[in-house]
Amino acid sequence: MPKYPGGFNRSVVGALARWRVGWISLLAVAAISWVAASDSVPSNQEYQLKTAYLFHFAELAEWPESAPVNICLLGDSPLRDYLPVLEGWQIDNRVVHVSLGDNIDNCRILFLSDLHVLSKAVSEYARIRHVLLVSDVEDFARRGGMVQFTLRDNKLKLVVNLPAVRDAGLKLSSKLLRMAEIVQ
Amino acid sequence: MRDTGDCRYSILILCLLGTACRPAVADEGSDAISSTAELLPLSWEELTELDVSGLARRQQSVKDSPAAAFVITGEDIRRSGANSLPDVLRMVPGMNVAKINASNWAVSARGFNDLYANKLQVMIDGRSVYDPLISGVYWGQQNPALQDIERIEVLRGPSGTLWGANAVNGTVNIVTRSARDTQGGLLYGGGGTEERGFGGVRYGGQLTDGVHWRGTLNAVNRDASARLNGAGDTADYMNAQNANFRLDGQTGERDQWMLEANVARYRLQGDYIGVTSVDPPTWRSDDFGRDGVTGSLQGDWRHRAESGHDWRLNMAFTQTEWTLAMNRMSRSQYVLDWQDSLPSDGAHHWLWGLNYQMINDRFDNTLTLSFLPGEFTQHNVGLFLQDQIDLGEDVKLTLANRVEHFTYTGWETEPNARLIWTPDRRHSLWAAISRAVVLPNRAQHSIRLYKTIPGTDRFFEAIANPHMLTENLMAYELGWRWQATDTFDIDTALFYNIYDRMQGTRFTGQVFNDPIPGTLEATVGNERQVKSYGLEVSANYRVNHDWRLQASYSANQFDIEYDRSQSWLRDPLTEQHFNPSHQLSLRSLFNLTSEIELDAWARYVDRLYVDQREIPDYITLDLRLGWHPHRNLEFSVSGQNLLDAYHPEFSDILYIQSVSQLQRGYFAQVSWRF
């Protein structure tokens, strides 16, 4: 048989006191009341993230010759409001410029708002002038685009058309490809 | 489709803590990281981990929570070069991690570290893995594939209101990747001098529309550690195998569920305690290792009602069977957890929940170690209620309480109040007062341990105390987070803790002549009061996209009151002596090119005094070189504890006869996704 020393005996008073503390604090939580207004709008940073991704593409893609990093936008996308933030930032000691007009000369990265902007002419231009074509429309990569944003599990993912990227004389780092879905 | 099953625990933690469950305020400027410019300094790895919707964004969530929180990402784990869960936890400020031998660790937060550290709640996907026998974690039994871990959320300080008894000095929630996030195959393996061999295979697929599955098999094999004099080893080899299967489903817009099954087998060897015979008294220091199997089945279901209620049901069943040379245990645990988050009512955000836990165990007793009664069932029931109140645009108050009934100690209450003030987007200040309790465990309640008094040839019999009360903590905390620039942030926490009715084991003065003449009686009781205070700082500096530095520092002091006229079995100044006063960790994550990574991790740990022996302070360095020749292939070589051939980190000669030293180790690893 175990030999139990005196130990501590819990008194009835102690048990009651513990009960009381519990209920008083529960009641205190319930009793406190304040009035303040607050709107419940879930914040969404989809386009902030896309902008940051585009910024990183300048580093994760390799162009045949070095040139200033010009990031362009063609068509009407909410990205128009966010992209200008990149103007003047540096990546790999190269200054980033943003162009939102129709003039897509000297673009290194071109974001297309829509599939119909991905014309034969734009594809051909991108292939010859080594432009990375990016979009967030469905099927962009399958239809000859290069890098497509897609949403999965509340995270931004990439779909990459590797042959199109290679045709344009571009190389994407394995770091980028590691998290991308590849279409051939 | 917003978050997968495993996101929900972070949401839950943060909901319970307060502000994070509240959608971020739409005003761009007030959200420290949502504006585009603040995303730009992040590395590619950090960026790709971010959630699109602000609701589940842990980076923001951690920044907004009125508690000392730290998140280890999957990327942090990969680049740490660590191969075990406790080693990964070393990067958290305020965590105490000390390896005792190849399969035993002492892991705690804010001090109180020991092989039987009993103030930390540890969960894997919400299922508690702390052992109710010792209220601690047998870390050698927890060997999940680290590649399956999405992140580890660590809360220092009490969160008993959220997680019940034993979430006293901290809570560690290990969140594994959902089946949806682990589609396709992964094959990895490696080996080296200390991590002799490890490897695993994972495959995931889609069952039907919205239902994904994945299965993982993995194994580890660790080499023994060095003896104190460096000559030879302590034969504490270990090997373990794990099988994990997980299903994640999304049924309609409003229901999400997860089912997970896990089986772990472990064989931990070493020189543990053992008395083989009483006549004549024979002491044998031999391999009294542990051989065990733990299986668990858990389910989680979350439903968003049209009324705006958000409820969650979590169930887990765990069966543990292990054999020591002198003992055998079989235990079943059932846990049921339900909670309901009410629709927001103006400034109030209510949350309440119920939990039930049943633990049934059975021991085959022997002379060395026995538990009386040999079979026992506990039923623990709890109810909690929380209100998070918007006191203004930038001040939020959280009031909460949990009332719990335990088989051993009856009713307990664990209230807390937390206040957070965010004067601008760069700063947030928080303060908290909480009460938390540590339950007496099965061992304290019913153990009979019979062995020699360390350092003597006399025997003692440690006898349990069925009248043990809970250890109670009153904690006072202050915190400050400062986003100094876009690339530099610093997080500071201060705490002052008063622990009442702390356990202590003393000799009662009784001498038995049965079974061996002159055996002294020792018993555990609520004998001491301990006060502790400390400081924790962590800082992050993103030098550029390719280089990130992370530093953490913690200081911890103790003030202990005990009866000096008594004779104590263990050091009554345990806390003061077992815990380093200062700890420092410095990590550097550097991309040499976009395919090659060079990572370094240096740590300083102040000296300890354990088992009448000084464990000197030490500095260690780990290095890792990783190479991705192809997007689906990774090679890496790692070196651990590079600065010395071996050093001790802790000791527990009451249970483990030989003091072990950690050796310098190297290993190589390859992983391939398909």
Side-chain angles (χ1 to χ4, degrees), chain B residues 133-311:
Chain B
L133 176 64
I134 55 162
S135 312
V137 177
Y138 285 117
W139 289 95
Q141 298 175 195
Q142 308 298 334
N143 299 286
L146 295 184
Q147 283 83 348
D148 282 354
I149 297 174
E150 182 179 284
R151 66 183 181 279
I152 302 176
E153 297 161 344
V154 183
L155 287 176
R156 285 112 56 200
S159 48
T161 317
L162 322 175
W163 303 112
N166 297 82
V168 171
N169 272 13
T171 303
V172 175
N173 190 19
I174 298 156
V175 181
T176 67
R177 295 180 201 273
S178 84
R180 207 177 328 182
D181 284 345
T182 43
Q183 296 287 287
L186 170 76
L187 190 66
Y188 73 93
T193 58
E194 291 304 298
E195 300 290 338
R196 286 203 301 198
F198 57 91
V201 60
R202 174 175 83 199
Y203 197 81
Q206 190 165 3
L207 211 61
T208 62
D209 192 31
V211 181
H212 295 80
W213 66 272
R214 73 116 195 279
T216 309
L217 294 172
N218 72 297
V220 293
N221 185 341
R222 290 207 173 99
D223 192 33
S225 36
R227 287 198 179 275
L228 197 59
N229 58 12
D233 61 45
T234 49
D236 51 338
Y237 307 97
M238 73 158 279
N239 64 65
Q241 299 87 39
N242 263 294
N244 175 278
F245 184 80
R246 180 169 165 154
L247 274 175
D248 282 275
Q250 171 96 31
T251 315
E253 283 288 290
R254 303 191 170 274
D255 293 277
Q256 264 174 214
W257 53 269
M258 181 273 276
L259 274 174
E260 192 174 10
N262 200 71
V263 182
R265 193 206 146 264
Y266 35 88
R267 169 75 184 136
L268 319 176
Q269 306 185 74
D271 296 344
Y272 300 120
I273 55 169
V275 179
T276 50
S277 146
V278 290
D279 186 25
T282 308
W283 171 261
R284 192 158 63 92
S285 171
D286 202 344
D287 173 23
F288 286 96
R290 176 186 304 249
D291 217 335
V293 178
T294 302
S296 68
L297 193 62
Q298 61 182 320
D300 195 285
W301 185 12
R302 184 172 173 182
H303 176 76
R304 283 153 199 252
E306 249 170 281
S307 56
H309 285 258
D310 199 344
W311 63 259

Side-chain angles (χ1 to χ4, degrees), chain A residues 114-129:
Chain A
D114 228 319
L115 262 183
H116 76 254
V117 190
L118 183 66
S119 61
K120 271 235 154 54
V122 168
S123 291
E124 193 54 19
Y125 159 79
R127 202 176 64 77
I128 294 164
R129 300 288 297 274

Side-chain angles (χ1 to χ4, degrees), chain B residues 295-475:
Chain B
S296 68
L297 193 62
Q298 61 182 320
D300 195 285
W301 185 12
R302 184 172 173 182
H303 176 76
R304 283 153 199 252
E306 249 170 281
S307 56
H309 285 258
D310 199 344
W311 63 259
R312 198 199 109 208
L313 183 68
N314 187 277
M315 287 174 287
F317 169 69
T318 309
Q319 181 71 30
T320 308
E321 311 275 340
W322 50 245
T323 307
L324 305 162
M326 63 288 177
N327 206 276
R328 184 195 294 270
M329 186 197 76
S330 171
R331 180 178 58 217
S332 310
Q333 269 172 284
Y334 302 87
V335 182
L336 190 69
D337 201 274
W338 188 83
Q339 75 163 54
D340 178 17
S341 162
L342 275 63
S344 157
D345 160 29
H348 293 270
H349 308 273
W350 290 93
L351 180 74
W352 72 283
L354 286 166
N355 68 287
Y356 169 71
Q357 185 189 33
M358 197 270 269
I359 305 166
N360 170 263
D361 60 23
R362 208 182 63 242
F363 290 90
D364 289 348
N365 293 324
T366 58
L367 174 69
T368 301
L369 181 62
S370 59
F371 297 90
L372 298 168
E375 183 168 358
F376 193 74
T377 305
Q378 292 181 53
H379 302 271
N380 302 326
V381 190
L383 163 71
F384 78 91
L385 178 64
Q386 170 177 288
D387 187 14
Q388 187 218 304
I389 307 153
D390 303 330
L391 295 184
E393 275 294 296
D394 50 9
V395 183
K396 290 171 175 66
L397 173 69
T398 307
L399 295 172
N401 192 17
R402 175 183 285 260
V403 183
E404 248 176 318
H405 186 272
F406 302 106
T407 297
Y408 285 143
T409 56
W411 290 99
E412 291 292 342
T413 176
E414 292 147 278
N416 84 54
R418 291 178 183 272
L419 189 71
I420 185 162
W421 177 43
T422 314
D424 59 55
R425 54 207 281 261
R426 294 274 183 212
H427 298 269
S428 66
L429 287 135
W430 59 269
I433 303 178
S434 342
R435 180 180 193 269
V437 301
V438 182
L439 267 188
N441 54 46
R442 175 79 155 105
Q444 290 168 331
H445 231 252
S446 46
I447 198 169
R448 280 184 80 183
L449 175 67
Y450 179 71
K451 76 179 292 291
T452 52
I453 299 166
T456 73
D457 53 4
R458 295 197 71 186
F459 279 76
F460 77 92
E461 185 168 4
I463 290 173
N465 176 0
H467 304 294
M468 259 313 261
L469 303 176
T470 53
E471 298 177 347
N472 295 343
L473 164 66
M474 274 304 296

Side-chain angles (χ1 to χ4, degrees), chain B residues 582-595:
Chain B
H582 302 275
Q583 290 191 111
L584 186 67
S585 156
L586 289 170
R587 292 173 65 219
S588 160
L589 289 77
F590 187 62
N591 298 329
L592 287 171
T593 71
S594 70
E595 272 77 44

